[in-house]
Amino acid sequence: MIDVKGINTWIELSESAYANNLRRFRQMIGSERELSVVVKANAYGHGWAPIARMAVQHGADSFCVHSLPEAQQLRQAGFDQDILIMGHVPLARLAEVVAGNFRLVIYNPETVRQLAELLEGQSGALRMHLKLETGANRQGIDEADLPWFLSQIAAIPGLHLEGAYTHFADIEDTTDHHFAEQQKQRFQRMVKSIRQAGFTLPKLHTACTAATLLFPETHFDLVRLGIGQYGFWPSRETLVSYKIQHNNDIEGLLQPVLTWKTRVSQVKQVAPESSIGYGRTYRTTRASRIAVLPVGYSDGYDRGLSNQGYVLIRGKRAPVRGRICMNLMMVDVTDIPGVKLEDEVVLIGRQGQDAVAADQLASLCGTIHYEIVARLSREIPRIAVP
Ligand SMILES: Cc1ncc(COP(=O)(O)O)c(C=O)c1O
């Protein structure tokens, strides 16, 4: 157990919040469907190791990751659940996918050709999931190219076509879900032709968090649950749509798992008309008390929060003054009596009656909360708390 007295910044992960979130999603999808948690990008910045441990403990069936190294990391840490690699694996490393018994996304002919060579003489050695292009125009197989992929797969005994999936392009950013509906219909059309070609396709999947929350008909055989497991709504539009569907009943549904903390490293008195930080972008208008915090943009506190963000100290908001530095930032504690060296500070999360929400910080600096948490430095210790 890490003693936080000895570190300047750390992230606490609430196990009860995580367990609550997973339980709620399990209730939504039922016991038969596969609940696959998306733990790519260091579990959206939360820390892949503690999150994977909690996920398995609280009912997740399998993992989705982006890269081969992420999948290998999980295996080496002892997780024997299924792991779907959703991003590109360099052709030179496909043998490692077979060796690790991972599920692999397929959308490139070159990958199929390379696998054909690799798997000669083997049967059912690699479980593949076809990524079908339905409108995101990101990774995916166009409908017109599907017959080529199916004929290749049929001819290679080493390949086992386990699943097919797609990803919604416009399900979070809008309350008008007609494009998502079109994507689902394209997906179903393509699935029909795959089945007509003789493949059983036991694992169909389309649902990210927003789809899981809003549209049960997108759940199919497996859901890929990302941001929701961490207790975040994917967007305000998703929240509004859900509230309309459920008569405003969101009581306890999603509870944020992460609290990012630091401690005051200096408190200083600053005269009126003084500037603070690089570029002298902030000028005091009164005698001020400024607290210096040992966190900066290298830790993942976005520089766009310069003169914009706020933190919590003694349960009260302290606004950021001046520019965020690489390892330091300054906040105004003039109106918070008694602030002293090493007082605990909350950068994201709840303290007392108030909270700093990741999506509030995101809108202050023109991004989304996914990015705010995904960019939290890997060097910050993650600590599971009850
Ligand atoms: C293919 C795919 N599926 C599922 C997810 C999870 O999405 P969310 O975090 O909105 O649940 C992602 C996230 O980026 C993704 O790329």
Side-chain angles (χ1 to χ4, degrees), residues 64-311:
C64 294
V65 296
H66 177 70
S67 68
L68 175 64
E70 288 176 331
Q72 289 171 327
Q73 223 168 19
L74 283 165
R75 274 284 182 274
Q76 279 154 18
F79 295 98
D80 57 7
Q81 289 73 17
D82 282 327
I83 303 172
L84 170 65
I85 302 174
M86 302 193 295
H88 181 65
V89 174
L91 301 179
R93 296 189 66 184
L94 286 170
E96 293 172 62
V97 177
V98 180
N101 191 22
F102 302 125
R103 292 165 159 170
L104 179 66
V105 64
I106 295 288
Y107 50 88
N108 277 323
E110 294 84 349
T111 302
V112 175
R113 286 193 198 103
Q114 183 71 27
L115 285 169
E117 256 178 55
L118 206 66
L119 294 169
E120 225 182 300
Q122 301 185 42
S123 87
L126 181 75
R127 287 171 302 157
M128 308 182 339
H129 288 223
L130 295 182
K131 180 84 181 279
L132 304 180
E133 180 55 74
T134 60
N137 287 312
R138 210 168 68 162
Q139 299 169 334
I141 300 172
D142 283 335
E143 197 164 2
D145 298 328
L146 201 48
W148 182 88
F149 280 88
L150 297 178
S151 64
Q152 294 296 307
I153 295 163
I156 307 166
L159 293 181
H160 169 54
L161 185 52
E162 183 184 44
Y165 74 103
T166 197
H167 192 50
F168 293 112
D170 196 22
I171 202 159
E172 291 94 6
D173 297 317
T174 178
T175 52
D176 170 3
H177 296 109
H178 84 275
F179 193 77
E181 178 57 32
Q182 278 176 15
Q183 280 191 270
K184 194 188 76 185
Q185 285 171 14
R186 273 183 218 131
F187 176 73
Q188 284 173 304
R189 197 171 63 223
M190 290 169 82
V191 164
K192 198 169 163 200
S193 55
I194 300 171
R195 287 196 166 141
Q196 277 167 352
F199 297 95
T200 51
L201 278 185
K203 296 281 176 189
L204 297 182
H205 43 118
T206 64
C208 56
T209 299
T212 306
L213 285 162
L214 298 177
F215 303 113
E217 69 274 21
T218 65
H219 295 176
F220 293 99
D221 304 301
L222 174 158
V223 302
R224 304 185 306 269
L225 179 67
I227 198 105
Q229 73 189 288
Y230 308 110
F232 296 116
W233 286 86
S235 64
R236 289 197 191 127
E237 289 81 355
T238 309
L239 174 60
V240 168
S241 301
Y242 187 91
K243 280 183 160 182
I244 292 169
Q245 279 184 7
H246 293 83
N247 231 344
N248 280 329
D249 182 15
I250 56 160
E251 188 62 34
L253 182 53
L254 299 185
Q255 299 175 7
V257 169
L258 170 154
T259 306
W260 185 14
K261 294 183 173 179
T262 184
R263 58 177 85 258
V264 172
S265 63
Q266 189 183 8
V267 185
K268 58 174 56 175
Q269 200 63 36
V270 177
E273 305 300 329
S274 304
S275 66
I276 294 178
Y278 286 129
R280 306 181 64 213
T281 57
Y282 186 82
R283 309 281 169 112
T284 54
T285 53
R286 57 177 178 164
S288 302
R289 268 160 57 82
I290 296 294
V292 182
L293 310 180
V295 164
Y297 58 77
S298 70
D299 300 291
Y301 198 90
D302 199 295
R303 191 168 175 274
L305 293 168
S306 299
N307 290 310
Q308 302 287 329
Y310 54 91
V311 304

Side-chain angles (χ1 to χ4, degrees), residues 11-13 18 40-51 227 229-232 256-259 373-374 376 382-383:
I11 288 168
E12 291 178 0
L13 303 170
Y18 189 86
K40 63 182 183 170
N42 199 24
Y44 290 38
H46 288 62
W48 67 268
I51 290 295
I227 198 105
Q229 73 189 288
Y230 308 110
F232 296 116
V257 169
L258 170 154
T259 306
V373 291
L376 292 172
R382 272 69 172 173
I383 301 165

